[in-house]
Amino acid sequence: MSSAGIVPLLGRVAAAVSEAIVRVRPETADADPVVRRSDRADFQSNAALPLAKRIAVSPAQLGAAFATQIDLTDGVIADVQVSGPGFLNITLADRAIWESVAARLADDRLGVPTTEDGQRVVVDYSAPNVAKEMHVGHLRTTIIGDSLARVFGFLGADVVRANHLGDWGTQFGMLIQYIDEQPESPWHAEEVDTGSSSVSALDGLYKAARKQFDFDPGFADRARTRVVALQAGDPDTVARWREIVAESEKAFGAIYDRLGVLLTPDDYFGESFYNDKLADTVTELLDKGVAVDSDGAVVVPSEQVKGPDDQPAVLMARKRDGGYGYDSTDLATIRFRITTLHADRLLYVTDSRQALHFQLVFEAARRAGWLTEAIEVAHVAYGTILGPDGKPFKTRAGGTVRLMDLLDEAVGRARAVVAEKNPALSSTELDAIAEQAGIGAVKYADLSTSRVKDYTFDPDRMTTLNGNTGVYLQYAHARVCSILRKAEAATPAVVDTAGPMEPAERELALCLDGYGTVLAEVADTLEPHRLAGYLYDLARVYTGFYDSCPVLAADEPIRSNRITLCQLTARTLELGLGQLGIVAPPRM
């Protein structure tokens, strides 16, 4: 199958309505055909209503005129009826629907075109801080960013996954100095296991160093001197810094492996990566008049946003002491991604509290000429994970929840649910399935919610077998696979396109036909919950089909046609869950 893919039936109907509109009213060729699924027919077009108002005619009369001009001879549309104030209720030919099923089943991409071919998309996500443990605050950026990277990759984009690690700055001079002054400290790379244990020790040392920095002026001076040594490339200081970074990256890798996200060490672009690009970035901003001197500092005053004092909001491009901070690094980052990586689209997946910061960064990049109209940029903002009390999720002691502890809790709950459902599983099988179900439950709970909304982390609810959960969808996929095993349908069945179509078969086939459309919507809106909602609807529609249409006991060719619907459902669920980063086990 070519990368052009298969035109969804929705698209073919919309094209037919558009052609009819042009025949009746050529001057309205730009009109939206307004086609959507309907419970009155296969599709409904409401095009006559807005157009009638626009050209001052009766919508019922206009709808009737459109109906007479819709082509019923190409084998796609079987019938058009006008209802109400001019709605067009459109019924498709059975053959057209079966042909769509057969074509999608024969294509390894299920007929979805590679619409993003040639586009380089940089997805900035996860971004933990070195020497600190990943916590609940890293969950949404990691899961949402990974899903978007998967969807864009599937649609043909050249995806650059950018993990903007916090691995540079004053805190590292402070931490390195503290470690060197504490020869009995619990953290030395050669003395502890790799992974979270060493980073947990580092996290504790950082907090101790911070406390000493705040209360011991002598230590604070020595720490600042150490920062200068790090920035100047002092061998011993840099060696210790690399040691800390390496241990942290191992811990991040353990989390990413468990979450099943795509990030690897090749995707790590720490703040240190941009260190040698900061001075040139500030110079260019000054030369172009975007940045200005301000009492010894260099700032970028906004032309669009004012602060509480009614003065322009600013980005601090360079501090008075000549140092660089968060704003400086993000300015250098966007410059690098556009001028060196030649990105066509930039996505920053961070929480909504950073909206103003990125608005100012994007404005500065536009004024500098880096960010042009040809390049899309978006702050992919998201809400907060809440605890059972409806407040931002914290430990009982009020501290930050470790991400690994959160995953352990979900997997433990999933293990109990799976064991109750299938007590015959061996301990090894149960552990493997529980891990997939628990991690999938955490991801789906996040991705099934509009990213801009807050949601409550509730392991009991997110691992239930009933309702809109990841475990429900995984079981739905496993159930279809079980039916196919009983049918011994290891290879695609042959579709009889001339066969009749029951209402439940029709509903399922049309739902399957919408898969490519929803992926395009995710790419356009940057909202993975649209895909999650589609998969949940698909699982429910499949249940209705299976309850009313016997598969294994049906006679041929009906049996083969129903097997094709099962096969296409299983493949769509597996591929769709995969684009959410969720495993679809064939057995549960």
Side-chain angles (χ1 to χ4, degrees), residues 78-150:
D79 184 54
V80 180
Q81 296 292 327
V82 182
S83 71
F87 299 139
L88 301 183
N89 291 331
I90 300 169
T91 301
L92 303 186
D94 291 355
R95 178 182 289 275
I97 300 175
W98 282 125
E99 286 174 349
S100 171
V101 170
R104 291 185 182 281
L105 191 61
D107 182 22
D108 58 3
R109 294 180 53 82
L110 306 186
V112 180
T114 51
T115 53
E116 302 293 323
D117 263 350
Q119 295 291 302
R120 172 161 285 186
V121 181
V122 178
V123 186
D124 182 322
Y125 66 109
S126 196
N129 291 315
V130 164
K132 295 183 180 180
E133 290 190 280
M134 290 184 70
H135 55 75
V136 64
H138 296 111
L139 186 62
R140 299 208 72 185
T141 173
T142 304
I143 290 173
I144 295 169
D146 190 66
S147 179
L148 291 174
R150 289 171 182 271

Side-chain angles (χ1 to χ4, degrees), residues 209-279:
R210 177 82 258 179
K211 184 176 181 180
Q212 186 164 343
F213 184 91
D214 291 339
F215 293 100
D216 183 345
F219 174 76
D221 288 341
R222 294 192 300 276
R224 293 189 185 98
T225 300
R226 202 58 179 264
V227 174
V228 174
L230 176 61
Q231 293 174 339
D234 172 66
D236 290 342
T237 303
V238 171
R240 177 64 81 185
W241 171 77
R242 291 188 187 282
E243 210 173 61
I244 292 169
V245 171
E247 287 303 308
S248 296
E249 288 184 353
K250 290 176 185 175
F252 302 153
I255 292 280
Y256 297 146
D257 287 346
R258 190 171 189 193
L259 278 173
V261 300
L262 298 174
L263 290 170
T264 71
D266 290 339
D267 305 316
Y268 297 169
F269 292 86
E271 291 176 343
S272 60
F273 176 81
Y274 302 98
N275 190 52
D276 63 357
K277 302 170 178 59
L278 300 175

Side-chain angles (χ1 to χ4, degrees), residues 228-380:
V228 174
L230 176 61
Q231 293 174 339
D234 172 66
D236 290 342
T237 303
V238 171
R240 177 64 81 185
W241 171 77
R242 291 188 187 282
E243 210 173 61
I244 292 169
V245 171
E247 287 303 308
S248 296
E249 288 184 353
K250 290 176 185 175
F252 302 153
I255 292 280
Y256 297 146
D257 287 346
R258 190 171 189 193
L259 278 173
V261 300
L262 298 174
L263 290 170
T264 71
D266 290 339
D267 305 316
Y268 297 169
F269 292 86
E271 291 176 343
S272 60
F273 176 81
Y274 302 98
N275 190 52
D276 63 357
K277 302 170 178 59
L278 300 175
D280 287 347
T281 300
V282 173
T283 297
E284 183 175 348
L285 290 169
L286 283 167
D287 289 346
K288 291 181 173 179
V290 177
V292 297
D293 289 314
S294 177
D295 295 330
V298 176
V299 302
V300 179
S302 174
E303 295 179 347
Q304 302 172 359
V305 182
K306 290 188 177 181
D309 56 359
D310 206 35
Q311 295 298 308
V314 299
L315 288 170
M316 183 66 68
R318 189 174 66 211
K319 300 176 183 178
R320 289 186 178 89
D321 62 4
Y324 301 97
Y326 184 70
D327 292 352
S328 317
T329 303
D330 275 350
L331 288 166
T333 299
I334 195 169
R335 176 176 178 251
F336 173 79
R337 290 172 179 173
I338 294 170
T339 61
T340 302
L341 295 183
H342 304 294
D344 298 295
R345 194 168 188 180
L346 297 167
L347 307 179
Y348 290 80
V349 187
T350 74
D351 73 57
S352 55
R353 292 171 296 179
Q354 297 191 52
L356 175 59
H357 170 75
F358 283 110
Q359 182 181 350
L360 297 177
V361 170
F362 300 160
E363 180 196 341
R366 287 190 183 93
R367 289 166 55 197
W370 307 329
L371 189 56
T372 66
E373 292 298 323
I375 301 168
E376 294 183 57
V377 63
H379 175 215
V380 186

Side-chain angles (χ1 to χ4, degrees), residues 413-423 425 433 437-438 441 444 458-479 536 539-540 543 587-588:
R413 177 58 191 152
R415 194 179 197 279
V417 171
V418 174
E420 181 178 356
K421 179 71 174 179
N422 192 349
L425 289 172
I433 293 173
Y444 190 82
D458 182 350
D460 287 341
R461 183 193 62 78
M462 64 177 58
T463 56
T464 183
L465 290 171
N466 301 309
N468 191 8
T469 69
V471 180
Y472 168 77
L473 286 179
Q474 287 174 318
Y475 262 105
H477 174 262
R479 180 187 183 192
Y536 176 61
R540 289 192 304 110
T543 297
R587 301 174 189 269
M588 289 187 74

